[in-house]
Amino acid sequence: MSAASENGLDDERAYRWPIPPPEGWTADDLDRIPGLPPHTELIDGSLVFMSPQTRFHLRCMRLLEYSLLSQAPEHMDVDREFTVRLDDKNRPEPDLLVIPAEAATGPSQTWHRPEDVILAVEVVSPDSRERDREVKPRKYATAGVPHFWRVEQDDDKGLPVVYVYELDPASKSYGLTGIFHDRLKVSVPFDTEIDLTAINRRPGA
């Protein structure tokens, strides 16, 4: 039998959590640290790990991704769960991003520049409420991302509720422009209409 490690796991199954340098991790470190869980973010120099996503979160991202892809103009594209390098200490991973098509630099690309992000979308999870409602929107606004959507689950119906924000360039802060139940209809950053009650239907059905 192998000796037990300090965390109670057998040595062959033990995982050593990465120890941060005194000044914290940097955006480049996300591509270099071995064995990080999928969808690890960097917030203020600290690694943030994702909890297993709920079915609502999964279905909501699918609905929004398909809808945005099918309605975006040809010069725009949509990426899912892809990081944005806001600065050297912050590299969050929005659930969905709308970007100019030319922002894609190749198959080895691992992050986008904030100036290339047209819309960032966060679907709020129980473990990410503070980050998705306060921390990340504030950082996106400071970085100049012009449009932000926050998506919450309606507790009564189990349907998405979309809070739509637009950047005030003078204050570098977001202003709420609409709260959408059942159907989302906006004209910026492009004409978009989404039936939010279709969250459990197959795309295109």
Side-chain angles (χ1 to χ4, degrees):
M1 180 181 294
S2 59
S5 64
E6 291 182 359
N7 63 5
L9 297 175
D10 291 344
D11 286 341
E12 61 185 354
R13 294 189 297 118
Y15 175 73
R16 290 182 177 273
W17 295 101
I19 299 173
E23 66 279 6
W25 299 110
T26 69
D28 289 336
D29 290 329
L30 273 189
D31 294 327
R32 297 194 290 247
I33 303 171
L36 286 180
H39 312 302
T40 299
E41 298 182 290
L42 184 73
I43 304 292
D44 294 327
S46 297
L47 300 176
V48 177
F49 306 119
M50 303 293 120
S51 296
Q53 65 178 323
T54 63
R55 192 168 186 267
F56 168 81
H57 194 278
L58 174 70
R59 294 287 177 115
C60 190
M61 284 200 300
R62 184 179 71 176
L63 171 65
L64 295 176
E65 180 183 23
Y66 179 86
S67 300
L68 288 169
L69 274 171
S70 64
Q71 298 178 59
E74 289 187 3
H75 66 278
M76 295 183 188
D77 203 353
V78 179
D79 280 339
R80 174 175 173 164
E81 299 172 307
F82 200 79
T83 60
V84 181
R85 181 175 176 152
L86 300 180
D87 54 42
D88 197 42
K89 294 293 184 181
N90 290 278
R91 196 170 141 187
E93 183 184 280
D95 288 313
L96 293 166
L97 290 165
V98 175
I99 54 168
E102 63 267 21
T105 62
S108 299
Q109 182 178 1
T110 58
W111 49 269
H112 284 302
R113 304 180 307 166
E115 56 264 38
D116 289 329
V117 179
I118 300 167
L119 166 68
V121 181
E122 295 287 357
V123 180
V124 177
S125 297
D127 72 318
S128 67
R129 285 192 182 99
E130 183 179 356
R131 291 194 303 276
D132 293 342
R133 291 174 177 173
E134 300 177 23
V135 178
K136 292 166 78 173
R138 184 172 67 249
K139 291 182 181 295
Y140 296 148
T142 300
V145 175
H147 301 279
F148 173 70
W149 295 356
R150 190 184 87 242
V151 186
E152 305 263 0
Q153 181 177 0
D154 183 302
D155 290 334
D156 295 327
K157 298 181 181 179
L159 297 176
V161 179
V162 182
Y163 296 76
V164 173
Y165 297 85
E166 191 167 342
L167 182 68
D168 176 353
S171 65
K172 285 294 182 85
S173 61
Y174 286 126
L176 181 66
T177 60
I179 303 174
F180 296 87
H181 302 257
D182 296 335
R183 183 169 295 274
L184 167 69
K185 187 174 183 179
V186 294
S187 60
V188 290
F190 52 87
D191 288 331
T192 308
E193 188 168 356
I194 303 175
D195 180 2
L196 300 175
T197 67
I199 183 172
N200 291 316
R201 297 179 208 155
R202 291 195 177 195

